[in-house]
Amino acid sequence: MKKILLLSDTHSHIDDQILKYVKQADEVWHAGDIGDLQVTDQIKAIKPLRAVFGNIDDAKVRLEFPLHNRFICEGVDVWITHIGGYPGKYDLRIREDIKHNPPKLFICGHSHILKVQFDKELKCLHMNPGACGKHGFHQVKTMLRFEIDKGEIKNLEAIELGKK
């Protein structure tokens, strides 16, 4: 079993409140718009990290992290990318790939809107953790945490970190 902390759109922001949740996880996944590598360096100093770059990320971040990160975690096929869209409205850049080879768990960021939705057509769970940074139109900083155990995603929890 793995306890996952999922965050996105930090836009160079990390603080003790976020790091408190990092310490409680087994792994941290970041869905892009990291902003500054000091964010991911602080996370990696505490827990294993899987991440992708986002549209605001510079060359340094893009050299360290991929555009897409697809892997198996505890028997679950996971695909993380920054700009992915939503069930029925997937981004043009991934639409054909996700249709022909859907993961069990599809994760993206970018919208700054926390959303969890099951895609009935693809039989795929979609997650967007919202944004836990201070930049953007969101009013409340958010993240998700959940467990993956023997091919099952369970104990999903939305975390609100207060106003930005």
Side-chain angles (χ1 to χ4, degrees), residues 85-135:
Y86 294 99
K89 298 177 184 163
Y90 291 110
D91 188 84
L92 186 60
R93 291 173 279 193
I94 61 111
R95 194 173 296 152
E96 287 304 310
D97 288 339
I98 199 166
K99 189 188 305 182
H100 295 297
N101 188 17
K104 184 168 185 175
L105 176 57
F106 180 69
I107 295 169
C108 63
H110 187 63
S111 72
H112 292 224
I113 299 169
L114 187 149
K115 190 172 195 176
V116 177
Q117 181 178 358
F118 187 73
D119 185 327
K120 293 176 188 172
E121 182 183 334
L122 300 180
K123 296 176 179 48
C124 166
L125 183 61
H126 173 278
M127 289 186 189
N128 185 322
C132 63
K134 293 183 175 183
H135 293 88

Side-chain angles (χ1 to χ4, degrees), residues 49-110:
L49 171 71
R50 298 178 191 258
V52 295
F53 71 78
N55 57 295
I56 66 113
D57 290 318
D58 65 12
K60 288 181 189 174
V61 175
R62 290 169 189 244
L63 282 172
E64 184 157 342
F65 299 105
L67 174 62
H68 302 283
N69 194 344
R70 190 152 184 181
F71 56 91
I72 303 293
C73 178
E74 299 288 314
V76 172
D77 182 3
V78 180
W79 180 359
I80 304 174
T81 195
H82 183 61
I83 301 175
Y86 294 99
K89 298 177 184 163
Y90 291 110
D91 188 84
L92 186 60
R93 291 173 279 193
I94 61 111
R95 194 173 296 152
E96 287 304 310
D97 288 339
I98 199 166
K99 189 188 305 182
H100 295 297
N101 188 17
K104 184 168 185 175
L105 176 57
F106 180 69
I107 295 169
C108 63
H110 187 63

Side-chain angles (χ1 to χ4, degrees), residues 22-37:
V22 168
K23 291 173 187 166
Q24 296 170 10
D26 294 321
E27 286 187 13
V28 178
W29 299 351
H30 195 303
D33 278 3
I34 294 161
D36 189 308
L37 286 175

